[in-house]
Amino acid sequence: MTFSGATAFTYGRQVQPAEFYGRKAELGTIFNRLRNGESTAVIGEPQIGKSSLLLKLADEATQREYLGQDAQAVLTCSLDLHSIGSD
């Protein structure tokens, strides 16, 4: 899933789940892919909201909204590899 800068976005810190708006179609697509056991990559240019989207996906209330009872089976893990070199 590739992001474009089409949605309004304020450059700065990561947006917390309660402050997150928009991207409902993308959230629905990602949760449907996860429900079906499909791999999903979130890629895009720097500073367009990828990390904020991942925080929203990890939010328990958001998981319940999109997955219902299936949200109980979700385990969210975070691993930041930004500091790892490409070689």
Side-chain angles (χ1 to χ4, degrees), residues 33-51:
R33 292 179 60 83
L34 295 174
R35 181 183 289 119
N36 293 326
E38 299 174 46
S39 296
T40 301
V42 177
I43 59 172
E45 296 297 319
Q47 305 300 325
I48 63 166
K50 297 180 303 293
S51 294

Side-chain angles (χ1 to χ4, degrees), residues 8 12 31 60 75-76:
F31 278 117
E60 290 181 12
L75 173 64
T76 304

Side-chain angles (χ1 to χ4, degrees), residues 11-27:
Y11 174 84
R13 67 173 175 75
Q14 294 175 352
V15 174
Q16 297 303 305
E19 303 166 318
F20 192 93
Y21 66 90
R23 306 269 193 218
K24 289 196 176 281
E26 290 88 347
L27 287 166

Side-chain angles (χ1 to χ4, degrees), residues 31-84:
F31 278 117
N32 282 334
R33 292 179 60 83
L34 295 174
R35 181 183 289 119
N36 293 326
E38 299 174 46
S39 296
T40 301
V42 177
I43 59 172
E45 296 297 319
Q47 305 300 325
I48 63 166
K50 297 180 303 293
S51 294
S52 297
L53 176 73
L54 294 173
L55 285 174
K56 183 71 172 171
L57 289 167
D59 179 59
E60 290 181 12
T62 303
Q63 293 172 1
R64 284 191 304 274
E65 177 184 346
Y66 284 87
L67 299 174
Q69 292 287 55
D70 292 339
Q72 295 176 5
V74 173
L75 173 64
T76 304
C77 299
S78 177
L79 179 61
D80 183 356
L81 298 175
H82 185 74
S83 63
I84 305 296

